[in-house]
Amino acid sequence: MYAVIFCGGKQHKVSEGEKLRVELLKAEKDSTVELDKVLLISDGSNVKVGAPYIEGAKVSAKVLGEVAGEKIKIVKFRRRKHHQKVTGHRQWFTELEITGITG
């Protein structure tokens, strides 16, 4: 059984027991989060598709913690102008473990 959820502006295909990184959520470690924006649920033979979401469907997940992504370097450079600027960015994610899919 798997589901397609909408979280943090992105769509994720999830199944039970799977670990997933989503955009940073306001949730404490070892707490439970219910994601109710479910776009699709499939159990192999039956497929439910929402318009846009399936009513009453939920995906429950356990929060494993906050994780930092890899550092990205941003270089701005203008040739022959003696101008160079280097900055960086590091995105934070919330790591979830999917515990159940209901729908």
Side-chain angles (χ1 to χ4, degrees):
M1 179 177 217
Y2 71 90
V4 177
I5 60 170
F6 183 79
C7 183
K10 297 178 180 72
Q11 296 178 9
H12 303 277
K13 179 182 173 185
V14 296
S15 58
E16 288 188 37
E18 183 177 323
K19 292 183 181 177
L20 173 72
R21 281 187 178 180
V22 295
E23 297 292 322
L24 192 63
L25 300 174
K26 293 181 181 178
E28 294 182 16
K29 187 177 179 179
D30 295 328
S31 64
T32 302
V33 176
E34 291 200 355
L35 306 167
D36 58 349
K37 293 184 178 180
V38 180
L39 302 169
L40 180 137
I41 293 179
S42 174
D43 63 354
S45 60
N46 297 330
V47 177
K48 288 184 188 177
V49 180
Y53 306 119
I54 299 173
E55 288 186 33
K58 291 184 182 179
V59 174
S60 58
K62 179 183 174 186
V63 178
L64 299 177
E66 295 177 356
V67 181
E70 55 185 71
K71 183 95 174 203
I72 298 172
K73 269 193 171 178
I74 300 143
V75 178
K76 295 182 180 179
F77 178 78
R78 302 213 190 273
R79 63 184 186 155
R80 299 187 301 270
K81 305 294 182 195
H82 299 289
H83 177 77
Q84 181 177 351
K85 183 178 179 182
V86 179
T87 58
H89 176 73
R90 190 169 193 158
Q91 184 70 36
W92 284 87
F93 298 101
T94 301
E95 194 166 22
L96 301 175
E97 182 179 2
I98 306 300
T99 57
I101 299 171
T102 58

